[in-house]
Amino acid sequence: MGRGPRRAAQVIDALRHGWPIRISGSDGALTLLCAETGYESGQTTAPRLLLSAARAVTLKLANQRDAAVPDAPALIRAAEPFTLPLARGLADPSQDLLHPLAGPFRAQPLEANEAAQAAMTLARLAGVLPCFLVDPDPAENVVDCDVADLAAFQDPHRLTVQARAHLPTAAAEACEIVAFRAPDDLREHVALIVGEQRSEATPLVRLHSECLTGDVLTSLKCDCGPQLDAALAAMAEEADKGGYGVLLYLRQEGRGIGLINKLRAYRLQDQGYDTVDANNRLGLPTEARDFPVAARMLSLLGVPAIRLMTNNPEKVAALQAVGVNVIERVPHQLPANPHNARYLDTKRDRTGHLL
């Protein structure tokens, strides 16, 4: 277990606990306190706030241009120092109707850009809103890391097989479950091999990002639960014909933004925003899944080529970009319901899905 990945893991843990962090890059360093979780010691204040460009645009900054990358970092200053309660109100757009935005705010040049970019990624990995007090006072027991530590933490080659066992399922009795984990990372991904793995067969593969609301609670807001069931049924059919299937169940709730942030996006959807705009108003990317992890899992399973069940050509391209040989895209279409029709339309119209 390398020192670099461990330091990044400690910073992620610090963000969840609300402890101050310091991130260093080649162009400078930033001392930050997460607005959402920050522990207030007395009257904590800071002269500046780091948040996403999309959120800065929502604040109608006079000199902030619209960002091509909504989750890119932006630095702002107000007439008075930021407090944690004020920063929390600014961080969460689902609260905008309850707490009208204060101001005025002004964007400032961001010199430590590498550190700021890393802060946005670390916030997403920690499942917190990407909003930070910059140079908070007081700031005690600061947890340090640098951008190289984060890169090492995200290296998919650290992922290894930890356990495997026979797992009969309702779809097919001949299944094997394989669990994967990387040092320092609390996420545990699994693969379900449906049928007998044969070297001469190209498996039917489905990448399925964890969805508590859809997979477990049978939510009608998305199509995740029915997609999971249909994928397993198709793989069972494949096994009956002498082939096999592989379901990669990735612990990347909400396409990588985390459960709580996904529910915040749901609340914004209740206010009329579509999936893409809701994520962007939170300062989070529309697509944050870790495709190199999926590629590593397939490699560890000894799967050289796949037939991918998806309606998303960009998923095919993303996997091919990290070395996965996708020889066929297999459509995976399911009917809409009154609760997810707009969600499916958004996937078609804004993220390139073929529905």
Side-chain angles (χ1 to χ4, degrees):
M1 182 168 60
R3 181 170 177 262
R6 182 186 295 130
R7 290 172 62 179
Q10 289 170 341
V11 165
I12 292 170
D13 188 58
L15 290 176
R16 294 186 180 122
H17 283 86
W19 302 330
I21 65 172
R22 181 180 296 109
I23 308 173
S24 302
S26 63
D27 52 0
L30 291 171
T31 300
L32 306 169
L33 182 64
C34 178
E36 179 183 345
T37 61
Y39 174 74
E40 189 164 0
S41 175
Q43 184 63 27
T44 303
T45 63
R48 296 169 298 167
L49 201 67
L50 181 73
L51 71 176
S52 75
R55 191 63 181 145
V57 170
T58 302
L59 298 176
K60 296 179 171 40
L61 295 169
N63 63 343
Q64 174 66 43
R65 64 184 181 182
D66 290 353
V69 182
D71 55 311
L75 188 67
I76 68 170
R77 180 184 290 274
E80 300 292 333
F82 292 100
T83 64
L84 274 171
L86 174 58
R88 287 170 183 148
L90 298 176
D92 188 353
S94 68
Q95 302 295 320
D96 286 352
L97 297 181
L98 299 177
H99 306 289
L101 298 176
F105 305 108
R106 183 169 294 274
Q108 293 200 308
L110 180 57
E111 295 180 355
N113 189 64
E114 283 190 1
Q117 294 276 5
M120 298 289 112
T121 300
L122 287 161
R124 179 178 58 77
L125 292 173
V128 298
L129 290 170
C131 181
F132 302 89
L133 296 179
V134 181
D135 295 327
D137 181 26
E140 301 173 348
N141 302 317
V142 176
V143 182
D144 288 275
C145 81
D146 60 37
V147 295
D149 298 330
L150 176 59
F153 179 82
Q154 294 182 293
D155 182 358
H157 292 95
R158 300 172 62 244
L159 195 74
T160 57
V161 173
Q162 296 294 314
R164 54 198 312 158
H166 175 59
L167 184 71
T169 69
E173 293 187 7
C175 296
E176 182 183 22
I177 189 167
V178 185
F180 305 79
R181 186 170 58 197
D184 314 300
D185 195 337
L186 297 178
R187 295 171 298 175
E188 297 169 334
H189 309 285
V190 299
L192 186 71
I193 301 172
V194 181
E196 183 181 349
Q197 186 171 352
R198 303 173 187 273
S199 59
E200 68 274 13
T202 301
L204 189 62
V205 172
R206 171 73 184 167
L207 270 63
H208 191 89
S209 295
E210 177 183 31
C211 180
L212 173 68
T213 50
D215 300 342
V216 179
L217 303 179
T218 66
S219 166
L220 297 177
K221 284 181 68 73
C222 64
D223 57 348
C224 299
Q227 279 194 335
L228 177 59
D229 293 339
L232 290 173
M235 291 175 190
E237 272 188 45
E238 193 76 10
D240 288 340
K241 295 185 293 186
Y244 73 103
V246 178
L247 175 80
L248 300 185
Y249 196 85
L250 306 170
R251 303 298 299 277
Q252 301 181 147
E253 182 81 50
R255 292 189 176 184
I257 67 173
L259 176 62
I260 291 176
N261 282 332
K262 183 179 83 169
L263 299 184
R264 289 181 172 125
Y266 279 1
R267 184 168 181 175
L268 288 173
Q269 291 170 36
D270 292 340
Q271 297 174 9
Y273 297 99
D274 67 23
T275 309
V276 173
D277 288 337
N279 278 32
N280 291 347
R281 287 182 72 86
L282 287 165
L284 297 166
T286 305
E287 176 59 83
R289 285 175 288 189
D290 192 341
F291 291 108
V293 163
R296 173 65 173 170
M297 292 168 70
L298 290 170
S299 176
L300 290 170
L301 291 174
V303 177
I306 67 172
R307 297 160 51 228
L308 184 67
M309 295 185 71
T310 184
N311 297 324
N312 185 2
E314 291 188 6
K315 183 184 286 186
V316 175
L319 285 172
Q320 290 175 330
V322 293
V324 177
N325 182 13
V326 182
I327 65 171
E328 181 186 0
R329 183 186 70 81
V330 179
H332 192 38
Q333 297 176 329
L334 294 168
N337 68 60
H339 300 278
N340 70 12
R342 188 187 181 201
Y343 164 77
L344 295 176
D345 288 345
T346 300
K347 291 210 293 186
R348 178 196 64 208
D349 298 338
R350 302 198 63 183
T351 60
H353 284 64
L354 304 174
L355 300 177

